[in-house]
């Protein structure tokens, strides 16, 4: 009798002729692997072809990043707690110079890059940023500040790359605690002109940032706001 009472108390668990119960029993990662790429591609088509979708993304980017990029104000302190104005002025000047061309193609300012990264994350569900630090062969930083970044769309980390024996899931290598320790990155965009290589390079997690939209605990990859 008690079991019947308990079961009857949850009407939502009882599908009927007029109400078919939709359920989701998969883990967040399995659900994302089966759907995220399709959703991302549809979202990109909306961004390219529908003014309402473009308007939504434009408004969100304007509110999150702003027209001039994310504002940064340097306030280094002396031992007594006062602001070191000379150092703040020097840091601001260096930051302004670096901001003119901080990404590896040297085609975008920091503000433009931030807006594009934000748009990509919202539309595609995620975006990757590879950090280029110090002296690198065949590359020259724009200023004496030896740091640049490379913007990578989600396609560069293959969603279908899973090797359980190596703890690689959806292109992300994790440890026993679920912490990303490396990302496996394609050397070119899989949708670019002509044939592309399926070979990947392993990028340690301290050289990569992964901005993503997630809805589930333990979810590794992001899903579009669309």
């Amino acid at each position: 009798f008690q079991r019947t009472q308990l079961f009857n108390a949850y009407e939502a668990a009882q599908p009927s002729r007029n109400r078919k119960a939709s359920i989701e029993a998969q883990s967040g990662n399995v659900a994302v692997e089966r759907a995220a790429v399709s959703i991302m591609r549809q979202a990109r088509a909306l961004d390219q072809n529908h003014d309402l979708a473009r308007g939504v993304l434009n408004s969100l980017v304007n509110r999150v990043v702003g027209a001039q990029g994310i504002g940064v104000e340097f306030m280094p302190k002396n031992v007594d707690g006062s602001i070191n104005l000379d150092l703040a002025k020097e840091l601001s000047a260096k930051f302004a110079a670096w901001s003119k061309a901080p990404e590896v193609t040297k085609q975008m300012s920091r503000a433009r890059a931030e807006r594009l990264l934000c748009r990509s994350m919202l539309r595609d569900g995620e975006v990757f940023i590879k950090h280029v630090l110090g002296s690198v062969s065949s590359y020259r930083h724009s200023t004496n500040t030896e740091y640049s970044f490379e913007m990578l769309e989600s396609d560069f980390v293959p969603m279908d790359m899973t090797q359980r024996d190596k703890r690689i899931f959806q292109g992300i290598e994790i440890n026993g605690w679920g912490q990303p320790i490396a990302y496996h990155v394609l050397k070119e965009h899989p949708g670019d002109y002509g044939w592309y290589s399926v070979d990947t390079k392993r990028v340690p997690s301290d050289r990569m940032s992964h901005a993503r939209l997630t809805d589930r605990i333990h979810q590794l990859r992001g899903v579009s706001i669309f």
Side-chain angles (χ1 to χ4, degrees), residues 131-157:
H131 306 289
V132 182
L133 297 160
S135 178
V136 179
S137 61
S138 74
Y139 179 76
R140 184 175 181 180
H141 297 282
S142 298
T143 68
N144 291 332
T145 302
E146 293 189 331
Y147 168 70
S148 302
F149 58 87
E150 181 180 7
M151 302 185 291
L152 299 170
E153 288 189 320
S154 59
D155 312 70
F156 276 90
V157 179

Side-chain angles (χ1 to χ4, degrees), residues 187-213:
K187 297 178 181 179
E188 54 186 293
H189 196 291
D192 213 339
Y193 296 107
W195 180 85
Y196 75 97
S197 172
V198 295
D199 293 336
T200 60
K201 54 184 176 182
R202 185 179 184 273
V203 180
S205 58
D206 61 353
R207 292 297 180 99
M208 184 82 86
S209 291
H210 181 199
R212 68 194 191 280
L213 303 178

